[in-house]
Amino acid sequence: MTAVPTPARKPRRAAVPYTFLAPALVMFAAFLAAPIGYAAYLSLRRVKVSGLGLGRGARTEIWAGLSNYTRSLTDPDFWPSVGRVGAYGMIVVPVMLGLALLMALLLDAGRTRVGAFARTSIFLPYAVPAVVASLLWGFLYLPRVSPITDALQAVGVTPPDLLSDSWVLYAVANIAVWGGTGFNMIVIYTALRAIPTDLFEAARLDGASDVQIAWRIKIPIVLPSLIMTFVFSLIATLQVFAEPMTLRPLSNTISTTWTPLMKVYRDAFTRNDVYLAAATSVIIALATFVLSFGFLKLVGNRAFNQED
């Protein structure tokens, strides 16, 4: 006779998935959820100073309500930093995704005989940390040490000062494009490789060119991947910090509040106002969520439900 499993084993089996998920859930709670909750808590507090602020009990933390958010939104440095990030994103996102899509289509079309080498070469800048990449590009931007400046001057061309007020936005954007194109290319290229080749063969039998196949077949099919890379790029744009912060010692055109996150850093570690910094951080997080969710809501149904 076959042994019948006892009911006591069923709860054990039901607990197995949660056992495997437990480490990830603990890490998520400890290093993501808890810091976010603590930042939200700090954003609703402030320090009350009694007397000269000396001695025990002279500085106490009290409830502040939404006053920190009001201070953040009315800070004269906040909205100019938002405007710079907006201009930065309008340069970086379309250029980066356009280059990534173009390179993925060229690699998928088989126009290069060194596909593996080309993919690795394009992806390699993404593996370089943002601080290291910013330092490398920063020295290339400096007129006195840049070999690019020497080469242009040798042919009689006067190079622009890329760290000047007129060009620094493009200089920072160039670093982001150089570093992020490879990652987005790999995502799009992977989606292209998953398309059945029968579709391309049928299109060629109908007389379609490579350009028509790319425009009418490949791009519509990989649209979900394009949307995903756009959302990732949008989030990275709103959180830009390493590039301008690293370039700041090389140029006096980048202020301490050049981006919203740089303002958070200044408020927290220079002015020692962690409550205002926490409020600004929460505002940035909410803006990131609203823009990302709004974009997905706007185009998600069309992109991810193409079978309808």
Side-chain angles (χ1 to χ4, degrees):
M1 296 180 64
T2 304
V4 179
T6 59
R9 294 182 179 180
K10 292 184 179 180
R12 294 181 181 179
R13 292 180 180 178
V16 169
Y18 299 100
T19 303
F20 285 107
L21 287 174
L25 294 175
V26 171
M27 296 289 286
F28 173 83
F31 296 102
L32 188 63
I36 291 175
Y38 186 58
Y41 167 79
L42 287 178
S43 69
L44 301 173
R45 311 286 290 180
R46 68 179 179 87
V47 169
K48 180 181 179 181
V49 180
S50 302
L52 297 177
L54 304 176
R56 180 177 297 181
R59 303 173 65 91
T60 56
E61 187 179 275
I62 63 173
W63 176 260
L66 299 178
S67 62
N68 289 321
Y69 292 93
T70 303
R71 290 170 57 205
S72 177
L73 293 174
T74 56
D75 191 321
D77 294 324
F78 178 73
W79 291 109
S81 68
V82 172
R84 279 188 289 269
V85 166
Y88 167 87
M90 292 178 66
I91 298 171
V92 169
V93 175
V95 173
M96 181 169 60
L97 295 186
L99 288 174
L101 177 61
L102 176 62
M103 292 176 183
L105 289 172
L106 290 176
L107 289 173
D108 186 65
R111 297 189 180 187
T112 174
R113 298 180 182 273
V114 286
F117 175 77
R119 290 195 300 271
T120 304
S121 300
I122 297 171
F123 178 78
L124 192 59
Y126 178 74
V128 179
V131 174
V132 176
S134 301
L135 284 174
L136 292 174
W137 279 103
F139 285 107
L140 289 176
Y141 292 154
L142 287 175
R144 294 185 178 180
V145 298
S146 174
I148 299 175
T149 300
D150 296 336
L152 292 176
Q153 289 177 344
V155 296
V157 177
T158 302
D161 184 1
L162 294 176
L163 294 178
S164 64
D165 189 57
S166 302
W167 288 92
V168 69
L169 180 65
Y170 302 98
V172 177
N174 173 68
I175 301 174
V177 171
W178 179 80
T181 299
F183 170 80
N184 294 297
M185 182 275 295
I186 290 295
V187 173
I188 299 171
Y189 178 75
T190 303
L192 287 172
R193 297 297 292 177
I195 301 176
T197 56
D198 297 345
L199 295 175
F200 308 146
E201 295 173 359
R204 289 190 178 94
L205 290 175
D206 290 337
S209 64
D210 288 340
V211 175
Q212 291 173 325
I213 291 174
W215 183 254
R216 298 182 179 180
I217 297 177
K218 293 183 178 181
I219 294 178
I221 291 178
V222 301
L223 186 58
S225 296
L226 288 172
I227 292 175
M228 182 180 68
T229 54
F230 180 89
V231 172
F232 288 163
S233 301
L234 177 63
I235 294 173
T237 296
L238 295 174
Q239 297 177 352
V240 60
F241 175 80
E243 294 87 349
M245 195 68 179
T246 306
L247 291 178
R248 187 172 175 271
L250 305 178
S251 172
N252 57 6
T253 59
I254 300 178
S255 65
T256 57
T257 58
W258 202 78
T259 68
L261 278 185
M262 290 179 68
K263 179 182 178 301
V264 171
Y265 181 89
R266 183 205 65 179
D267 292 339
F269 300 105
T270 302
R271 296 185 174 180
N272 199 29
D273 191 349
V274 295
Y275 308 100
L276 179 60
T280 308
S281 300
V282 172
I283 291 173
I284 296 172
L286 289 176
T288 303
F289 173 78
V290 170
L291 291 175
S292 302
F293 181 79
F295 178 78
L296 288 174
K297 193 70 174 177
L298 180 65
V299 302
N301 292 333
R302 177 184 174 185
F304 296 101
N305 297 318
Q306 294 181 0
E307 68 275 6
D308 295 341

